[in-house]
Amino acid sequence: MEMTAPGTKRSNNSTPPRVLIIGAGINGCGVFRDLCLQGVECLLVDRGDICEGASAAPSRLIHGGIKYLETGEFRLVRESCIERNRLLRNAPHYVKPLETLVPVRSLFGGLLSSTQRFLGLKVKLNDRGLLITEIGLRLYDFFSHAIQTLPNHRLFHRAKLLQEVPLFDPSIIAAGVYYEGRVTHGERLGLELVLDGLHAKPSSQVALYSTVSRSETGQFKVTDQLTGTIRAIEADYVINAGGAWIDDVNRSLGFATHYMGGSKGSHLIVDHAELFNVLKGRMVYFGTTDGRVNLAYPFFGHVLIGSTDIKIIHPDDAYCSDEEIDYLLGAIKEIVPTIHIERRQILLTYCGVRPLPRSDGANIGEVSRDHYMAHDTIPNTDIPLVSLIGGKWTTFRAFADEASRYILAHFGIKRTHQTENESIGGGRHYPITEAEQVDWIGTKADLYLCTRPRMAELLYRYGTRAENIAASERDIGYQPLITATQYSRAEIAFLCRNEWVNRLVDILLRRTEMAMAGHVSLPLIHEVAEIAASELAWDAERKRAEIESTIQAMQRRSVRMAA
Ligand SMILES: Cc1cc2nc3c(=O)[nH]c(=O)nc-3n(C[C@H](O)[C@H](O)[C@H](O)COP(=O)(O)OP(=O)(O)OC[C@H]3O[C@@H](n4cnc5c(N)ncnc54)[C@H](O)[C@@H]3O)c2cc1C
């Protein structure tokens, strides 16, 4: 746990309000930034690291959600398209356009069933024909027009498709081609929202690996899970951004809610050159015979495949099962039957729980992905609490804007800062065109005395915040890690000192792409642990425990660790 300043006792009604935000997933981080920008002091608490829940487990699409057109969720799709386009502008370092193919197997398939689904009837849609796909893509273009950052859709007919993707199953007769966004370093984007928030309101605080409860006298207590330290804090408003754990968080505050009903979803990252080459940089977003929609696209030189959608009772029980791995590998066979993926080619699996509203009896795949706020009052007080339910990664800004407006209105505070066009972290002053990038890299490489390839690598990994790492490498000396030469000792030390690293696993899973990109090995874990131990003053026992728990975390994600 880390706090920027000790909590202060609230003395009288003229004291500016303080908001307690529980949960540092993308929604908690988003609302933290928004309120800090308005000058409101916040305390952000998470029982783990920033973006380690569902926000670390999505398909990593920043997307309109074309499949939600089938259920008539036009408001959600329109908002998502607009937010996607905003993120492409505001976080260009991490959110990139993704050309997408939707394979089609018939001309008129799905007309009846999609009309029935649109009318709210529960039917499977396992054939989305060319006509339905064309209607959907036209609507999608229409919703994207409000802020146009991506080209309109087009079609690949059979001849073009054969030329572009000859290995597709021969029953695929055409494909819709359109654009989405993908987020490369989502966990870092969450972190940057928090850093931006603290920059705007330095008296706000962040407490990671910490939980909130209430004492017998009704005071809020924050317990540091790593040290056991307990401290009392005061808050005038509470935001429960606990995702799939929202009901658990409310219970820890002394009252029972039954808002949530999650569904777990798993992904695989596979090291498969042939599949990677088939994709040619594109995503394939394809319906499978069970009526679901799955996806595969290139990710850090490998292929990301997802996802399952399975009802789950408690989010802590989510893991990627053998059956889910079989299902996802089988789904790939439906579009490229000649490709065989061996289990040994799986680099990493990950699983998360969609924080969906409770919907007893409904087919989990059909529960709305829209967001809602539920309002309560902390028992025996007049302190309001709002729970942020549902939502997509893509729409975090809009959700934060909505929640923040609500809270500002409660306190009678004027909204002074809009976030629609607010750049995030290393997306600020980011060089967009190739020429601008060459220029930026050359100038900064000269300034920080590093090579151009190194500066380009840091720009890719940290956006314009790369300057901080380059400065650190210049001051401390550039020394690549022995076990993964694309990272440096000064870089890891910088992350430990400046980005709330509490656990070794934070570095491998969330501050860097080490695990996602398949760079993890046992020697790497030991080398990074040695730097972290020195920076964070861990004794030998703590270092050993961190290595042990990191190995376990990697094994849970099926990471094969070469010795
Ligand atoms: C399989 C899958 C695929 C998805 N794909 C996409 C996609 O491609 N695009 C898209 O836009 N969206 C996608 N989503 C949805 C998106 O990931 C989620 O809607 C979003 O991340 C939810 O964020 P959140 O902040 O509400 O929840 P979370 O990220 O889960 O955050 C909740 C936080 O609360 C913390 N917490 C829990 N209990 C406590 C406690 N007692 N005290 C303190 N803290 C606590 C947790 O540690 C966690 O950090 C996907 C989701 C899943 C699961």
Side-chain angles (χ1 to χ4, degrees), residues 479-489 492 508 514 518-531 562-563:
Q479 228 184 315
L481 297 191
I482 297 164
T483 52
T485 52
Q486 55 276 66
Y487 306 94
S488 76
R489 294 183 69 85
I492 304 301
L508 276 74
M514 283 172 174
H519 298 150
V520 173
S521 62
L522 280 178
L524 175 118
I525 292 176
H526 282 270
E527 190 177 13
V528 175
E530 181 235 310
I531 303 168

Side-chain angles (χ1 to χ4, degrees), residues 399-410:
F399 200 3
D401 183 313
E402 194 180 320
S404 160
R405 279 175 200 275
Y406 193 88
I407 290 158
L408 293 176
H410 173 85

Side-chain angles (χ1 to χ4, degrees), residues 298 309 450 461:
D309 200 350
C450 72
R461 200 172 292 148

Side-chain angles (χ1 to χ4, degrees), residues 22-28 45-49 51-63 210-212 241-245 249 252 263-267 307-308 352-355 388 390-395:
I22 305 175
I26 198 61
N27 285 325
V45 182
D46 198 288
R47 69 172 191 171
D49 191 18
C51 285
E52 80 154 65
S55 300
S59 302
R60 299 175 181 269
L61 297 181
I62 299 300
H63 65 152
S210 299
T211 50
V212 182
W245 294 269
V249 169
S252 70
S263 109
K264 75 162 173 165
S266 292
H267 290 82
S307 62
T308 54
V353 178
R354 300 173 181 87
L388 306 185
K392 296 166 60 185
W393 219 104
T394 309
T395 51

Side-chain angles (χ1 to χ4, degrees), residues 228-337:
T229 315
I230 300 175
R231 54 185 293 176
I233 55 128
E234 306 235 340
D236 304 289
Y237 208 110
V238 180
I239 300 177
N240 181 347
W245 294 269
I246 276 178
D247 292 328
D248 286 1
V249 169
N250 284 339
R251 204 167 307 118
S252 70
L253 298 177
F255 65 108
T257 53
H258 301 282
Y259 295 137
M260 305 309 296
S263 109
K264 75 162 173 165
S266 292
H267 290 82
L268 317 177
I269 298 177
V270 299
D271 180 14
H272 199 290
E274 198 185 358
L275 181 58
F276 183 85
N277 292 335
V278 164
L279 295 170
K280 292 191 180 160
R282 300 180 179 116
M283 172 162 79
V284 185
Y285 193 65
F286 57 101
T288 35
T289 42
D290 59 354
R292 297 199 54 251
V293 181
N294 287 297
L295 57 87
Y297 69 91
F299 192 71
F300 290 118
H302 308 293
V303 180
L304 177 66
I305 302 172
S307 62
T308 54
D309 200 350
I310 301 167
K311 202 164 187 162
I312 187 166
I313 305 293
H314 196 276
D316 285 343
D317 300 331
Y319 71 100
C320 175
S321 66
D322 278 350
E323 293 74 30
E324 288 173 280
I325 294 178
D326 287 341
Y327 170 81
L328 292 170
L329 296 182
I332 291 295
K333 281 250 171 228
E334 289 194 24
I335 45 158
V336 270

Side-chain angles (χ1 to χ4, degrees), residues 444-481:
K444 302 301 176 190
D446 292 345
L447 183 63
Y448 297 108
L449 311 178
C450 72
T451 65
R452 279 161 172 68
R454 177 63 184 157
M455 202 65 230
E457 186 160 47
L458 292 178
L459 178 67
Y460 170 72
R461 200 172 292 148
Y462 302 104
T464 50
R465 292 187 80 241
E467 280 201 63
N468 301 327
I469 315 275
S472 185
E473 287 179 349
R474 181 195 56 194
D475 298 344
I476 300 175
Y478 176 67
Q479 228 184 315
L481 297 191

